[in-house]
Structures are given as structure tokens and as C-alpha cells.
Amino acid sequence: MELGLRENRKTAEIRDAVRETHLHVSDFIYPLFIEEGANIKKEIISMPGIFRYSLDQINDELKEVVDLGIKSVLLFGIPLHKDAEGSESWNDKGVIQEAIRYIKKNFPALQVIADVCFCEYTSHGHCGVLCGHDVDNTLTLVNTRKQVLAQAKAGVDMVAPSGMMDFVVREIRDELDKNGFQHIPIMGYSVKYASAYYGPFRDAADSAPSFGDRRTYQMDSANRLEAIKEAQADVDEGAAILMVKPALAYLDVIREVKNKFNLPLAAYNVSGEYSMIKAAGRNGWIDEERVMMETLLGIKRAGADIIITYFAKDAARVLNGNN
Ligand code: PBG
Ligand code: ZN
């Protein structure tokens, strides 16, 4: 009989041997929402299993993350006080600066990545300083320098600007280098689309814009060539890691960026992508665990080296064999 392709699928052993793509716990970055205050552990209704924590409540969560072998967390802060510019974001005693210090002191092995943006800190929920009804790029970059410097002084390991301002990586690189923080790398949100998949996150981070949308700074979903230009800009400006976000509706973009640039690539498996799988799983409509693993594998196979995902703990349990 002729040898067909099914030969290599005959047994679990041969399937294991010829498998091309593997997920590892070390691929994952786990996002955390830290709220200023005390005694807060609030589940996000649209994101089952994901909570907002105040710092005094976060110890068990961090311990679990470390015990599962997850090596990196991405911090989002929710401040008590918001204003037009989001000035709490560069307060040395602000929620994220305190969180960075707390985690580095108590869990020194954990890599702490801080989100750099303003939408959680501004009263209007936009990702920078408003000029009329639009976000002003130049004024926002001035404040971005302050925010990043405060995070660097608090001991952050890596920063990740998510606001989609032009030249943000260049400005941050300059500010860090000028102040003796040459060792802190930048993960650029290089290719970030204006996406409806961010819906649940905006509840989680209390960061929904009070008017309008983010289409004057985030990318149009239809554009692929523009994604290459955005990624090229981050490369030129000194990013250490590139990112495509969201992941699932943009797997073609992940592959293309991976093929074109010699930098590690992250993909952000965003809140809406998580919520959909959780919701269908809870309804008994899909096998949640298998769909989760298939989804993460698909993102990796598309070309992502790093996956930022709310599934990090669930997937780590599966990979560790103790679910
Ligand atoms: C804010 C920010 C958003 C996300 C990460 N940083 C939302 C937005 O741009 O409105 C989305 C993450 C997710 O949906 O999981 N700059
Ligand atoms: Zn933002």
C-alpha cells in the first residue's frame, strides 16, 4: 500500500514525535488589574475567573501565578482619583508604582511589565490628553515620559505602551536612557486595532471612553499594509518586543509581522476572546479546556513567541498536568 499522510497520525507516540508547535508555560504573560484601595477582590462579571485586586488582597493570586510557573505579569492600574490628564499615573505613590514595588519585593522572580497608558487614569477615558475631541499626540508624549519614569523608579522590569501614540517608543527609549534606565526594554503595542473585542477589559479597567471611540489612534481592522508600517516604526524607534492585538481576528497579521521582523513577537489574546470561550464553556456549548488550548496553539502557530492571555493560569494547569 502507498504510504499516505495518515502514517504519522497512527499512534499518540508518533503524533507526539511529529508535532510542530508546542505551548510552554513560559510563553504566557498574565494580565493583572490592581485597584487602589483596600479589601478589594472583585470578579469582572464578563470575565469569569478574573478579578480586580487591591494590593492587600493580591498575595495569594501572585503565589498561585508563581507556583504554576508563570514568569511574567502585565499590570493595569485603576486609581481612586481621575483627572483630565491622568496625573495619578505618574504619582510616585500611585497604584501601579506601589504595585511594582510590592511585587518586586515579595516575588522578585516574577517579571513585572507595566502597561503605559492613560485611559484608566483620565476622567474622560481616552488614552491621552484631549485637544478638542481628539487626543493630542505631543501633549500625551510629554505625560508618557513622566509615567514611564515613575514606573522605572519603582523598579519595573519592562514597559508596554498601549496608547497607540505616534513615536511613543522613541520618546520612552529616550527618557529611560537619559535617566539611567537603559536596561529596561520596551514591548511596543506595535499593531493595535480599534476593536470591539476590548469590551470586557473596559469594565475590568474602568477605562471606557466617555464619548466617541479610539479610531483616531488605534488602527482600522481592515488594514494589513499599515500594520507592517506600524511594526517597522517600533523596530526603528527601539522596541525590544513587537505585538499584535487582538490575536484571533488578526492571525494573518501575526504571521506577516513574524515573517518580516527579527524581533520577538507577542500577541494579545484580549478580553473579548477570553469572555467568548468562557461563556460558551459555561453554557456547555463547547469543551472549554480543549477550545482554550487549541486557540492558544493557533496563536503560537501563527507566529507569536509570547501570548498575553487571561487563560495563563488555566492553560498552565493543563500543561503542568494537574488540572
Ligand atoms: C488600554 C488598553 C486596552 C487593552 C489593553 N490596554 C483597551 C483599549 O484600548 O480600549 C485591551 C485589553 C483587552 O481587551 O484584554 N490602552
Ligand atoms: Zn489606553
Side-chain angles (χ1 to χ4, degrees), residues 117 119 162 192 198 201-202 214 218 245 270-271 310:
C117 200
C119 47
S162 67
K192 179 176 176 181
Y198 305 151
F201 173 96
R202 293 178 186 173
R214 304 208 201 288
Q218 299 178 350
K245 174 186 179 180
V270 301
S271 56
Y310 305 97

Side-chain angles (χ1 to χ4, degrees), residues 34-303:
I34 323 271
E35 183 170 349
E36 190 172 357
N39 274 312
I40 302 164
K41 183 187 175 185
K42 240 185 338 214
E43 191 166 26
I44 319 301
I45 291 167
S46 52
M47 301 176 74
I50 303 296
F51 294 78
R52 279 197 206 182
Y53 294 95
S54 52
L55 268 188
D56 61 338
Q57 299 293 312
I58 207 170
N59 194 71
D60 292 354
E61 171 82 332
L62 291 170
K63 189 172 179 314
E64 194 181 6
V65 164
V66 170
D67 288 347
L68 284 167
I70 296 166
K71 298 181 189 316
S72 302
V73 290
L74 174 60
L75 304 186
F76 294 95
I78 301 120
L80 212 50
H81 301 291
K82 306 193 183 214
D83 60 25
E85 294 204 16
S87 62
E88 265 302 292
S89 68
W90 63 83
N91 180 348
D92 285 327
K93 297 263 158 59
V95 58
I96 278 307
Q97 280 64 256
E98 296 285 12
I100 294 165
R101 276 189 292 268
Y102 176 89
I103 300 173
K104 289 317 293 184
K105 173 157 178 264
N106 296 290
F107 298 88
L110 209 49
Q111 167 164 255
V112 175
I113 310 170
D115 179 67
V116 179
C117 200
F118 296 95
C119 47
E120 305 99 318
Y121 299 90
T122 51
S123 38
H124 45 75
H126 277 285
C127 299
V129 183
L130 290 181
C131 183
H133 274 214
D134 199 5
V135 174
D136 186 275
N137 208 87
T138 308
L139 295 176
T140 301
L141 291 180
V142 172
N143 289 349
T144 300
R145 284 180 179 261
K146 299 185 214 167
Q147 183 180 153
V148 153
L149 193 55
Q151 294 173 345
K153 285 194 287 182
V156 79
D157 294 307
M158 188 188 295
V159 293
S162 67
M164 286 301 277
M165 293 304 119
D166 284 333
F167 315 117
V168 67
V169 170
R170 180 187 76 194
E171 295 290 306
I172 292 176
R173 190 68 272 154
D174 180 65
E175 187 69 13
L176 290 173
D177 293 352
K178 224 167 59 181
N179 287 282
F181 297 109
Q182 294 90 341
H183 58 283
I184 298 181
I186 302 167
M187 175 164 68
Y189 276 63
S190 319
V191 181
K192 179 176 176 181
Y193 289 94
S195 171
Y197 283 98
Y198 305 151
F201 173 96
R202 293 178 186 173
D203 297 335
D206 194 20
S207 64
S210 62
F211 65 88
D213 54 42
R214 304 208 201 288
R215 288 173 207 271
T216 66
Y217 37 107
Q218 299 178 350
M219 280 182 57
D220 187 309
S221 302
N223 295 354
R224 183 175 57 84
L225 297 175
E226 191 186 351
I228 305 303
K229 286 185 117 177
E230 280 283 2
Q232 182 71 60
D234 275 13
V235 172
D236 295 343
E237 293 174 32
I241 298 174
L242 304 176
M243 191 199 301
V244 172
K245 174 186 179 180
L248 295 183
Y250 305 90
L251 293 172
D252 58 324
V253 179
I254 293 175
R255 169 49 56 193
E256 193 141 4
V257 170
K258 180 63 189 170
N259 285 350
K260 287 226 161 65
F261 301 99
N262 295 322
L263 280 179
L265 176 61
Y268 201 138
N269 176 213
V270 301
S271 56
E273 298 171 342
Y274 175 85
S275 300
M276 291 195 302
I277 292 175
K278 282 285 171 188
R282 287 190 169 211
N283 270 309
W285 293 342
I286 58 170
D287 179 333
E288 179 183 320
E289 182 181 306
R290 289 191 54 206
V291 170
M292 166 182 75
M293 296 310 281
E294 187 175 331
T295 299
L296 294 169
L297 191 67
I299 295 170
K300 186 149 186 202
R301 194 190 61 246

